Amino acid sequence: MFRKIIKIAGIILGVIVVVIAGFFTKAYISVEGRRNKHYAMDVQQVPMSTDSAILAHGARLAKVKGCTECHGADLGGKVFIDDPALGHIVATNLTKGNGGLSDYTKTDWIRALKHGVNREGKPLLIMPSEEFTLLTEQDMGAIISYCAQVAPVDREFPEGSSLGPLGYLLTDLGKLSLFPVEKIDHNRPLVKEVKAEVSLAYGKYLSTSCQGCHRENMKGGDPIAPGFPPVMDISSSGRPGKWNDDQFIATLRTGTTPEGHTLNPAEMPWTMAKEFTDLELKALHLYLNSL
Ligand code: HEC
Ligand code: HEC
């Protein structure tokens, strides 16, 4: 009797192992296929500049858009995810130092930001190019002009990026946005200009920085990755709908809401949002309140 139970348990365990291995193999093959896909496109040009006001604008955008968050304050690159289950993801050294992008061309920069691929046309992992592709020509030009001239940093990551088993499974299930390239309309030209004023159009333009987590309707939802809190509703039906502009600005500058809730910058990146100007935050609040 006892032996029989052990035998049955063994069979069940064996079946479970085979099923999990099957799931994993399917995920692995599918994800590797997507990772090695080649994307070809005509690359549109953007205006570059060495003007100090435009470089300063580019420097601020590099903070607002999270370039410095992921690639390091000096843009010299950093290990962005290091988790045996999820994977080891390196955000590239963007400078001209050792381990960096020494012979990167302007077209390579645009290919990365607008299309989410490297110079070989292969997908860039995790980097949210589906947001950067919505930048105006002017703003993208300012970011690239700034990034391409920062001081060289020697920092090498010989190990490169790799995925763990959970990374494969979550990507295959659509729970981890590993390939932003797939969410981009590669034929859409960049928007020429959005006027900087307290308007719905400008607020909507700026809100692309919030979409990845708060969703397109800004009503929030499930956590963006395992271990993160659920994302709050910041449309008119959420708490920010009851705040005045000053309270909204103070929340994003200090990380503390009028209700006294403290936002953890690792979960809600207010350290990036605090770089928005007052005018930008007013436009953003106006837009959020219209939803
Ligand atoms: C959420 C994190 C994140 C943000 C935000 C981010 N990046 Fe990246 N970026 C990455 C990662 C990770 C890679 C490496 C991808 C890979 O190896 O496939 C990368 C790669 C790149 C590359 C490509 C290098 C190559 O190999 O061709 C460029 C250029 C780049 N980033 C520029 C930027 C700029 C400019 C910004 C801001 C507008 C930015 N990144 C914002 C994570 C990020
Ligand atoms: C990386 C994901 C992420 C991004 C990007 C992001 N948020 Fe958040 N946000 C969160 C999470 C998660 C919370 C809930 C945090 C908590 O529960 O402590 C939150 C909370 C907030 C709150 C507090 C709401 C309340 O009810 O107290 C405000 C306001 C907010 N976000 C505004 C923004 C704005 C504006 C942007 C874009 C400029 C933005 N967020 C971008 C993840 C994000």
Side-chain angles (χ1 to χ4, degrees), residues 64 131 206-214 218 224 228-234 238-240 243 248 251-252 257-259 261-264 266-269 272-273 276 281 284 288:
V64 170
E131 288 172 23
L206 300 170
S207 77
T208 51
S209 302
C210 326
Q211 266 184 26
C213 299
H214 290 278
M218 299 295 154
I224 42 154
F228 281 81
V231 188
M232 286 177 185
D233 179 0
I234 55 169
R239 270 189 290 265
W243 305 341
F248 182 75
T251 301
L252 293 176
T257 71
E259 293 81 18
H261 179 62
T262 311
L263 301 166
N264 175 351
E267 297 164 355
M268 160 56 210
M272 285 156 54
F276 280 121
L281 287 174
L284 198 49
L288 295 176

Side-chain angles (χ1 to χ4, degrees), residues 35 61-63 65-71 75 78 80-81 89-94 101 104 108-110 112-113 117-120 122-129 131-132 135 143-144 147 160-161 178 272:
R35 189 176 178 179
L61 286 175
K63 289 184 191 156
K65 297 290 169 188
C67 320
T68 51
E69 198 82 19
C70 291
H71 292 274
L75 297 182
K78 69 178 203 195
F80 169 65
I81 299 177
I89 306 278
V90 176
T92 320
N93 177 348
L94 300 181
L101 305 174
Y104 221 52
D108 292 332
W109 279 102
I110 303 169
L113 293 189
V117 295
N118 64 17
R119 57 200 317 190
E120 283 83 43
K122 297 278 177 65
L124 291 175
L125 309 181
I126 307 270
M127 151 124 162
S129 300
E131 288 172 23
F132 307 149
L135 285 164
I143 293 178
I144 297 175
C147 291
S161 292
L178 194 67
M272 285 156 54

Side-chain angles (χ1 to χ4, degrees), residues 16-241:
I16 292 176
V17 168
V18 168
V19 168
I20 291 180
F23 265 119
F24 177 73
T25 309
K26 178 196 158 285
Y28 178 84
I29 293 174
S30 149
V31 170
E32 282 300 308
R34 289 158 71 190
R35 189 176 178 179
N36 287 304
K37 189 170 167 198
H38 179 266
Y39 292 81
M41 68 276 298
D42 292 329
V43 180
Q44 173 191 345
Q45 292 303 310
V46 300
M48 299 279 283
S49 176
T50 50
D51 179 89
S52 61
I54 293 185
L55 292 180
H57 181 58
R60 189 170 66 85
L61 286 175
K63 289 184 191 156
V64 170
K65 297 290 169 188
C67 320
T68 51
E69 198 82 19
C70 291
H71 292 274
D74 58 5
L75 297 182
K78 69 178 203 195
V79 175
F80 169 65
I81 299 177
D82 189 23
D83 181 303
L86 215 50
H88 181 87
I89 306 278
V90 176
T92 320
N93 177 348
L94 300 181
T95 74
K96 293 193 164 62
N98 291 335
L101 305 174
S102 55
D103 53 354
Y104 221 52
T105 66
K106 182 183 160 196
T107 304
D108 292 332
W109 279 102
I110 303 169
R111 206 182 275 118
L113 293 189
K114 181 168 186 288
H115 299 283
V117 295
N118 64 17
R119 57 200 317 190
E120 283 83 43
K122 297 278 177 65
L124 291 175
L125 309 181
I126 307 270
M127 151 124 162
S129 300
E130 82 274 25
E131 288 172 23
F132 307 149
T133 197
L134 301 175
L135 285 164
T136 61
E137 288 179 11
Q138 303 295 332
D139 283 351
M140 190 178 286
I143 293 178
I144 297 175
S145 301
Y146 168 73
C147 291
Q149 57 83 61
V150 296
V153 175
D154 296 333
R155 198 175 296 143
E156 298 182 67
F157 302 93
E159 74 283 16
S161 292
S162 58
L163 274 185
L166 192 62
Y168 281 107
L169 285 173
L170 291 178
T171 304
D172 198 43
L173 292 170
K175 299 280 180 210
L176 182 71
S177 174
L178 194 67
F179 302 118
V181 62
E182 296 174 353
K183 301 185 201 157
I184 295 175
D185 173 359
H186 296 280
N187 294 318
R188 193 191 63 87
L190 290 172
V191 175
K192 272 217 152 340
E193 197 194 347
V194 183
K195 201 155 176 255
E197 59 187 7
V198 182
S199 67
L200 288 177
Y202 195 49
K204 181 168 189 211
Y205 172 64
L206 300 170
S207 77
T208 51
S209 302
C210 326
Q211 266 184 26
C213 299
H214 290 278
R215 315 300 198 275
E216 211 167 327
N217 61 12
M218 299 295 154
K219 295 204 183 290
D222 291 337
I224 42 154
F228 281 81
V231 188
M232 286 177 185
D233 179 0
I234 55 169
S235 74
S236 62
S237 51
R239 270 189 290 265

